[in-house]
Amino acid sequence: LHPGFGFLSENAAFADAVEAAGIRWVGPSGAAIRAMGNKAAARQLAQRLGIPIVPGYDGDDQSDDVLTREAGRIRFPLLVKPSAGGGGKGMRAIDRPDSLAAGLAAARREARAAFGDDRVYLERYLARPRHIEIQVFCDTHGNAVWLGDRDCSTQRRHQKLIEESPAFGLPASTRTAMGEAAVKVARACGYVNAGTVEMLYQDGEFWFLEMNTRLQVEHCVTEEVTGLDLVAEQLRVAAGEPLSFTQESVQHQGHAIECRINAEDPEKNFQPSPGRIAFYYAPGGRGVRIDSHAYTGYVVPPYYDSMIAKLITVGATRVSAIARMRRALDEYYITGIKTTVPFHSAIMRNADFRNGTYDTGFVERVMNSDNFELKPTPTRLHE
């Protein structure tokens, strides 16, 4: 049983129930999910392993008095983050002491609703970090490998919008150190199958952030630069077979970029745009990949995540991958609902993005600038 990307994929009780029923679970054990699912405990594990973590507080005492005292020690601005989950849900940036009480209350409320657990931890807010993640893979034969990195810094409100591999401009020594640290974390928690170790990088330093105990939505860019089928490899490992590759045999070629095509209106603060797709035409050709369930007449429901497609392009260089993405976005026709296609098209034409000079605050800065303009979605083909 493969649980997909979300919902049940990081549910330890569900993983246990599947295995107890005699069904092969395509993912890590319930014990590993629990070990990494608590973000505060994961930070503590990384620290014991000698892996740098962002300064903060991840203790058991959740009283307002202790959290207020620890916030003063960490210094503002800081982040309040749920211990039981990730994905940006429940996260709050606190700029000054008099905002802490309200931020704690809001973070706890959202964490309780999203994860059934209102515990939080505190982290120092980094000014302009990049969000780098490492794809790891472990089997039941003692093999543990990292498959390169992905840059997921192009995000809005902690939700990823664009991912690419490899991370642009990352020093080779830092890239290797991050990969080895990720494998160390995976081994320490007895991890099996595919997983993602997320880190922050700034000014030549990196810090462990968290581990997602599942296959990520953006695994496609890793597949495109390594030539590996990660889902097929997941099935091999779940069947008890060893990994089909070693650390030494993993080869990286070219550059890949993924744009998440969401049913949202970027002109209205990314307001959800559910409804019937009147016309759907996806681009194709060499170096273009579409992962989608959408089609003409499909009704996008309002109940779930708004992503309706992943558009991936690959080129020999980052420049060629961006050029291919620009062309693919220009050829992507979706009418009847609003989508993020015009937003992605504008980002691909942005000089800072093309130069690789961006960080996790990039999208907010760009969209608030006077010269940011969304390119209208073409309708010529539909007409």
Side-chain angles (χ1 to χ4, degrees), residues 89-220:
K89 294 182 176 65
M91 188 185 303
R92 284 291 186 278
I94 310 297
D95 294 327
R96 55 188 190 274
D98 59 2
S99 301
L100 181 61
L104 284 172
R108 285 166 169 161
R109 186 168 56 251
E110 284 192 34
R112 190 182 307 113
F115 311 114
D117 187 334
D118 65 359
R119 289 174 296 169
V120 298
Y121 63 100
L122 309 178
E123 275 187 354
R124 180 175 297 167
Y125 183 85
L126 298 176
R128 289 196 170 186
R130 289 170 63 186
H131 187 157
I132 310 294
E133 54 187 37
I134 309 295
Q135 178 73 63
V136 295
F137 230 119
C138 310
D139 62 22
T140 56
H141 300 266
N143 302 306
V145 175
W146 63 283
L147 302 177
D149 52 80
R150 300 186 288 257
D151 192 320
C152 302
S153 303
T154 310
Q155 51 187 254
R156 174 182 174 273
R157 295 182 179 176
H158 311 292
Q159 299 296 313
K160 301 167 188 173
L161 298 171
I162 299 172
E163 299 97 356
E164 56 183 304
S165 182
F168 179 75
L170 199 65
S173 58
T174 302
R175 197 186 307 275
T176 299
M178 294 173 80
E180 291 175 348
V183 168
K184 189 182 293 187
V185 169
R187 286 189 181 279
C189 68
Y191 200 86
V192 171
N193 219 278
T196 307
V197 177
E198 304 200 6
M199 300 185 184
L200 294 178
Y201 170 81
Q202 182 176 292
D203 300 328
E205 296 184 80
F206 71 88
W207 301 269
F208 172 85
L209 186 62
E210 63 184 32
M211 182 176 188
N212 285 309
T213 53
R214 57 183 169 85
L215 194 68
Q216 299 279 88
V217 168
E218 57 271 23
H219 76 277
C220 307

Side-chain angles (χ1 to χ4, degrees), residues 8 15 29 31 94 97 105-106 120 128 131 166 169 172 176 180 193 197 247 253 259 275 290 304-305 339 348 368:
L8 297 173
S29 67
I94 310 297
V120 298
R128 289 196 170 186
H131 187 157
T176 299
E180 291 175 348
N193 219 278
V197 177
Q247 189 67 69
Q253 290 188 332
C259 290
I290 291 278
Y304 307 110
D305 188 275
T339 74
M348 289 299 136
N368 290 329

Side-chain angles (χ1 to χ4, degrees), residues 218-237:
E218 57 271 23
H219 76 277
C220 307
V221 291
T222 297
E223 290 186 332
E224 293 302 322
V225 297
T226 61
L228 298 171
D229 185 331
L230 299 189
V231 176
E233 202 67 31
Q234 282 192 293
L235 298 176
R236 286 176 55 89
V237 170

Side-chain angles (χ1 to χ4, degrees), residues 2-42:
H2 194 298
F5 300 130
F7 290 108
L8 297 173
S9 62
E10 292 187 283
N11 188 312
F14 184 66
D16 289 341
V18 169
E19 292 185 330
I23 302 170
R24 294 289 182 96
W25 170 251
V26 185
S29 67
I33 294 174
R34 289 186 182 89
M36 291 291 103
N38 185 296
K39 307 305 179 183

